[in-house]
Amino acid sequence: MLRKKTCIAMLLAGGQGSRLGILTKNVAKPAVPYGGKYRIIDFPLSNCTNSGIDTVGVLTQYQPLELNAYIGSGAPWDLDISNGGVFVLPPYQKGKSGEWYRGTANAIYQNMAFIEQYHPDYVLILSGDHIYKMDYNAMLDYHISHGADATIAVREVPWEEASRFGIMNTDPDGTIVEFEEKPQNPKSNKASMGVYIFTWEKLRHYLTEDEADKNSSNDFGKNIIPNMLRDKQVLVAYDFNGYWKDVGTIESLWEANMDLIDNPMPMNMHDKNWRIYSKNPGMPPHYISEGAVVTDTLITEGCEVYGKVNHSVLFAGVVVEEGADIEYSVIMPGSIIKRGAIVRRSIVAENATVGAGSIIGEDSGNIAVIGQGVTLPAGVSVPSGTQVDESYTF
Amino acid sequence: MKDVMGIIYTGENDARLRELTIIRAIAALPVAGRFRVIDFLVSSMVNGGMKNIGVIMQKNYHSLMDHLGSGKEWDLHGKTNGLHILPPFLTRENVGLYPGVLDGLRSNTDYLNRSKQELVVLSNSNIIYNAHFKDMIAFYENTGADITLMYTKDPSMKRDEFGTYISLDQDGNVKDIEVEPTHPNYDNTFMQVCLMKREFLKELVDKAVAHGLHDLARDLLLKLVQEKQAKVNAFEYTGVCWNIDSVQSYFKFNMDILKPEIRKKLFIDELPVFTKVRDEMPAFYSAESHSVNSLVADGCQIEGKIENSVLFRGVRVAPNAHVKNCIIMQDGQVQEGAYIENCILDKQTVIKKNTKLIGPEAYPIVIAKNVVI
């Protein structure tokens, strides 16, 4: 019999992240590399570890292989413990039938048995889409002290952009009085972050009720939250004002990487009291050669740099040959940029090879992307905004 | 495939390493930007399939014990076998200091008895190399030897007054062993690694200590060879290796691996070198920084100039600071305008603004841990 937990986390990691184009062709969005040595899921997982939440269900669905292998038994995040830990939860057959996850709320509904094992008082709902550091324990304290049924983390967005988000209209004391999805004329600029804490008893009731509604989209934002508001449940907004980046598009993923090179860094990644853990590749320190020129750049273990790198992020084991010239780009693990290649404003995914003398991307315009495992022939040109996978012909 | 265990003897003579080994065993000495000397040997054993490895500790072993932990980083933390840390027994006879490896083994006969493997690779811990021992084990079996020693012909491993050297007959059997000769007469340097049956080792250790013998090569092996009491032969290791026994040899190793062709021979894809992880951010190079021919670990922040240097995790080089031919261990700081050349900085040292510290090339300056200059 498993011991009771005060609060467990359920991390929604099943989406395709289709706006990441070929970067998520073979891999789920939370497993996409970020920041030189991380994957997006390292942030919510590390936040859990640092917040003292030791039981995390990760709901997977789309292309989960790389994500599942990455999570493993949870050791990198201290989540390989005997009571609790991290659990990968794909959809499964129950009795005679089973189905894919139909929406964020349905995904949680289908895993009620998992949650019930721990008889939690509270459940934290997270997604694997965002880069941010947050103390969920502080949010839980807020939820409890306000006697809330649900607490929704919000952050202020520029008023011009408020119409792109789920907006919470609140009382001065933080109570949510209205929720508007992408309002034309927003009354508030507090946007929902997709991070929720629910009192489990209440959530269980609303999930069950929602499941019976054939017209529902089974979505937290579209259904569960509005239903709770309708019934005048106690919903409060928890203000978050740290760095937070949605890395759901190619442009925003690239920007989030570039943010790490800014001085000062908008998110403090050197905080020893809030480390971001990840599965380390275990390679020797990187090498900068005699003729290399490296400026304004992040480089991690295993890289061998013989060329020129400016304002870029190099992941583990990347090789930059002599004469190669990289600027404003993100080169993911194991990729090789061959002699004389010029790379500008691009993302080169894992284990790709950019052929000698190629020109990838341009000094302005949208981000060019070279897909996972792609080997480019020598001397080719890839215009800005182009995505190159194995099927691309020059 | 034969079942083989490993035993590593640590705490060897280290006065020539000066401040670097006052607080730690040579085995725990940080090298190559993020590793410790023992990582290469433990990884070699693990890559060779050994799952039971005992590390005999003595003297200043705290740092080493802390580094090895449960053996998890080397996959040695399981229920079956694993890493066994063997601290010294403090008794009337043992004061935490073994006169020789035979005494260390005798103190740990219980461990030898409890182990189940047929063969044992016994090794000292101050030589760095990458080998999986499979060839050596095959050689041992094919030649039907009682003991096989590992040696190298690498001339950089020879030293006057230190080291053990062997001569071989045309069949590869050991004819003579010299221990710490004034000038070595033989070109074959014993790498302080030998392979034999576990039961045989137990017998030898019991008999040897009962007869007041302490040193493996000088007291035991030489006797076996001279009196022809056992078939002792030798296997040549042909890869790269370094003996970390002085400040100069420590410095040379770190400078040698700055050369890509040498680095590739030590860090081999199929034979990874495992070590403890620290979860640092990638290293950051500022727009004004200037770096050449250097090995840099994660967590470093480079804002000045570095050349021909090895920087461990979390080192900070301030704007206008200049680091040349140096080794800087974890969390070292070189502040604005400082210039250091031919220096070895132990962990967390601070070189303050505009300080100049230039060591002679042949005798690098060692700054002890936590010192502020």
Side-chain angles (χ1 to χ4, degrees):
Chain A
M1 218 206 66
L2 299 173
R3 301 201 299 272
K4 178 182 165 66
K5 298 275 174 191
T6 308
C7 177
I8 71 170
M10 296 293 271
L11 206 166
L12 297 161
Q16 180 177 354
S18 52
R19 289 173 303 156
L20 279 168
I22 60 175
L23 287 174
T24 47
K25 200 170 108 171
N26 298 316
V27 59
K29 183 156 114 184
V32 168
Y34 163 77
K37 64 183 289 187
Y38 308 100
R39 299 203 185 223
I40 295 172
I41 203 173
D42 288 323
F43 286 81
L45 283 181
S46 301
N47 287 338
C48 284
T49 310
N50 292 327
S51 302
I53 294 175
D54 64 8
T55 305
V56 185
V58 179
L59 284 75
T60 62
Q61 175 157 271
Y62 175 78
Q63 288 284 20
L65 292 182
E66 204 167 316
L67 179 61
N68 294 353
Y70 182 68
I71 292 173
S73 63
W77 309 273
D78 276 350
L79 290 171
D80 58 337
I81 55 178
S82 53
N83 186 47
V86 65
F87 297 88
V88 169
L89 302 168
Y92 61 97
Q93 286 221 319
K94 306 167 181 62
K96 288 203 174 53
S97 68
E99 49 178 54
W100 298 111
Y101 293 142
R102 279 186 275 112
T104 52
N106 171 260
I108 304 297
Y109 173 80
Q110 288 202 42
N111 284 286
M112 271 185 14
F114 168 76
I115 297 174
E116 287 291 357
Q117 289 178 110
Y118 296 99
H119 307 290
D121 296 321
Y122 310 101
V123 174
L124 166 70
I125 308 288
L126 301 170
S127 74
D129 296 348
H130 306 111
I131 304 293
Y132 64 108
K133 297 196 304 177
M134 185 165 156
D135 185 348
Y136 303 132
N137 196 43
M139 184 176 167
L140 180 61
D141 284 344
Y142 185 88
H143 175 89
I144 295 171
S145 65
H146 281 68
D149 297 308
T151 299
I152 298 164
V154 297
R155 67 187 278 280
E156 291 187 354
V157 295
W159 277 97
E160 326 78 78
E161 299 188 24
S163 52
R164 296 202 289 125
F165 295 91
I167 297 291
M168 302 287 156
N169 303 328
T170 58
D171 265 348
D173 69 358
T175 312
I176 297 174
V177 298
E178 197 183 358
F179 168 58
E180 293 186 297
E181 183 74 45
K182 300 191 177 37
Q184 289 258 358
N185 299 306
K187 295 181 199 142
S188 140
N189 68 338
K190 288 184 193 253
S192 166
M193 291 166 63
V195 176
Y196 317 110
I197 291 183
F198 292 94
T199 299
W200 172 235
E201 270 172 37
K202 293 281 174 171
L203 179 60
R204 183 175 48 208
H205 169 84
Y206 280 90
L207 286 175
T208 313
E209 175 197 84
D210 184 72
E211 188 62 19
D213 178 356
K214 297 290 169 236
N215 296 320
S216 173
S217 314
N218 305 121
D219 180 87
F220 276 100
K222 298 195 180 97
N223 306 105
I224 304 293
I225 308 276
N227 290 351
M228 289 179 83
L229 268 176
R230 167 203 75 203
D231 292 348
K232 306 232 186 309
Q233 298 296 310
V234 182
L235 269 61
V236 298
Y238 176 73
D239 288 313
F240 173 78
N241 39 38
Y243 176 88
W244 184 72
K245 195 88 180 182
D246 181 323
V247 286
T249 64
I250 292 173
E251 304 293 320
S252 62
L253 178 66
W254 178 87
E255 270 168 27
N257 278 282
M258 293 294 119
D259 279 348
L260 290 172
I261 304 174
D262 276 352
N263 189 12
M265 231 188 322
M267 177 175 55
N268 179 13
M269 292 288 292
H270 289 290
D271 186 353
K272 292 200 192 328
N273 295 323
W274 205 273
R275 282 197 203 264
I276 301 300
Y277 305 101
S278 68
K279 196 162 157 183
N280 281 240
M283 303 178 78
H286 64 266
Y287 176 70
I288 310 290
S289 84
E290 196 68 51
V293 180
V294 175
T295 46
D296 226 16
T297 285
L298 281 173
I299 307 185
T300 191
E301 55 195 68
C303 292
E304 301 260 328
V305 182
Y306 295 88
K308 191 160 170 287
V309 186
N310 178 44
H311 208 97
S312 294
V313 178
L314 302 190
F315 286 66
V318 162
V319 177
V320 179
E321 289 186 358
E322 219 178 299
D325 183 337
I326 303 173
E327 281 196 10
Y328 286 84
S329 294
V330 177
I331 317 293
M332 294 186 176
S335 287
I336 304 174
I337 312 299
K338 287 183 130 1
R339 170 179 280 272
I342 299 179
V343 183
R344 298 279 182 275
R345 292 177 66 86
S346 298
I347 296 178
V348 178
E350 278 180 90
N351 297 318
T353 302
V354 171
S358 301
I359 302 182
I360 312 298
E362 298 171 53
D363 281 315
S364 62
N366 289 337
I367 307 302
V369 182
I370 309 298
Q372 212 175 25
V374 168
T375 300
L376 292 182
V380 299
S381 239
V382 174
S384 67
T386 317
Q387 297 189 44
V388 178
D389 62 8
E390 321 81 47
S391 62
Y392 188 92
T393 43
F394 287 92
Chain B
M1 215 193 70
K2 276 282 156 71
D3 223 6
V4 188
M5 66 180 285
I7 299 184
I8 302 175
Y9 178 73
T10 69
E12 305 91 314
N13 178 6
D14 53 32
R16 288 168 300 151
L17 281 158
R18 308 195 324 242
E19 291 94 325
L20 292 174
T21 47
I22 287 177
I23 47 162
R24 56 167 86 86
I26 302 180
L29 189 50
V31 289
R34 68 173 295 197
F35 302 97
R36 299 211 188 216
V37 171
I38 202 174
D39 291 336
F40 295 88
L41 180 53
V42 176
S43 302
S44 290
M45 290 179 165
V46 168
N47 289 330
M50 294 179 218
K51 292 187 163 49
N52 175 9
I53 298 177
V55 184
I56 299 176
M57 306 206 173
Q58 58 177 318
K59 296 194 271 184
N60 45 11
Y61 65 94
H62 172 254
S63 189
L64 181 61
M65 186 166 76
D66 186 58
H67 174 71
L68 291 174
S70 66
K72 193 167 183 183
E73 279 81 7
W74 300 268
D75 282 337
L76 289 170
H77 59 298
K79 283 188 193 167
T80 53
N81 295 293
L83 180 77
H84 292 91
I85 292 184
L86 306 166
F89 281 27
L90 296 172
T91 62
R92 272 199 310 277
E93 301 88 30
N94 287 325
V95 294
L97 187 67
Y98 294 121
V101 61
L102 296 173
D103 303 275
L105 288 166
R106 167 69 185 268
S107 274
N108 289 290
T109 13
D110 196 38
Y111 169 65
L112 269 177
N113 285 334
R114 273 191 342 249
S115 296
K116 298 191 177 35
Q117 285 76 15
E118 191 186 331
L119 300 179
V120 53
V121 169
L122 171 66
S123 174
N124 274 15
S125 62
N126 59 316
I127 301 184
I128 294 180
Y129 54 91
N130 195 341
H132 51 60
F133 301 110
K134 290 183 190 159
D135 296 339
M136 180 172 167
I137 295 168
F139 175 83
Y140 167 85
E141 295 185 337
N142 294 338
T143 53
D146 293 312
I147 305 177
T148 295
L149 310 182
M150 192 161 100
Y151 74 97
T152 176
K153 285 190 159 69
D154 186 336
S156 73
M157 293 284 283
K158 279 168 72 168
R159 286 124 170 71
D160 286 343
E161 293 177 43
F162 297 98
T164 304
Y165 307 91
I166 60 179
S167 74
L168 307 172
D169 66 21
Q170 67 267 38
D171 299 318
N173 295 317
V174 178
K175 277 196 313 196
D176 187 27
I177 304 177
E178 286 186 326
V179 179
E180 298 177 0
T182 322
H183 304 295
N185 286 310
Y186 308 125
D187 289 332
N188 305 318
T189 307
F190 175 44
M191 288 177 71
Q192 308 290 346
V193 181
C194 56
L195 167 66
M196 68 187 90
K197 286 198 167 58
R198 183 178 53 88
E199 295 287 350
F200 188 48
L201 177 62
K202 272 168 48 187
E203 270 174 48
L204 288 179
V205 167
D206 283 342
K207 272 202 316 219
V209 176
H211 287 86
L213 306 181
H214 303 295
D215 186 83
L216 180 75
R218 176 177 32 226
D219 299 340
L220 182 58
L221 293 176
L222 183 56
K223 193 153 167 293
L224 292 174
V225 161
Q226 281 170 344
E227 294 171 17
K228 299 202 192 332
Q229 288 172 11
K231 180 177 157 78
V232 181
N233 64 10
F235 173 79
E236 186 187 353
Y237 169 76
T238 51
V240 287
C241 56
W242 290 264
N243 190 346
I244 309 298
D245 58 351
S246 66
V247 169
Q248 285 84 346
S249 63
Y250 171 80
F251 192 76
K252 177 172 183 297
F253 167 67
N254 285 283
M255 293 296 128
D256 277 352
I257 57 164
L258 288 177
K259 305 189 186 93
E261 64 278 8
I262 296 187
R263 207 164 50 247
K264 284 199 207 333
K265 293 195 183 140
L266 183 62
F267 295 103
I268 304 165
D269 281 341
E270 301 79 43
L271 301 176
V273 181
F274 307 102
T275 190
K276 215 163 142 182
V277 148
R278 209 169 91 154
D279 290 302
E280 296 277 355
M281 244 205 102
F284 175 71
Y285 294 84
S286 78
E288 299 76 34
S289 70
H290 186 77
S291 316
V292 291
N293 194 34
S294 292
L295 219 58
V296 177
D298 281 357
C300 286
Q301 294 179 63
I302 314 294
E303 298 176 283
K305 187 165 176 208
I306 63 171
E307 45 181 322
N308 314 328
S309 294
V310 177
L311 270 52
F312 285 66
R313 287 169 281 200
V315 167
R316 301 211 305 267
V317 178
N320 295 319
H322 186 171
V323 173
K324 183 171 169 177
N325 305 347
C326 290
I327 299 167
I328 309 183
M329 295 193 205
Q330 274 97 306
D331 301 318
Q333 277 183 53
V334 183
Q335 295 183 348
E336 260 189 70
Y339 176 72
I340 56 173
E341 185 180 336
N342 295 329
C343 292
I344 299 172
L345 270 48
D346 208 323
K347 296 188 189 185
Q348 287 141 229
T349 50
V350 178
I351 308 294
K352 292 174 78 157
K353 283 191 199 184
N354 301 319
T355 306
K356 290 193 187 348
L357 206 57
I358 303 175
E361 214 183 300
Y363 204 75
I365 298 179
V366 176
I367 311 290
K369 190 171 164 177
N370 290 319
V371 164
V372 175
I373 294 193

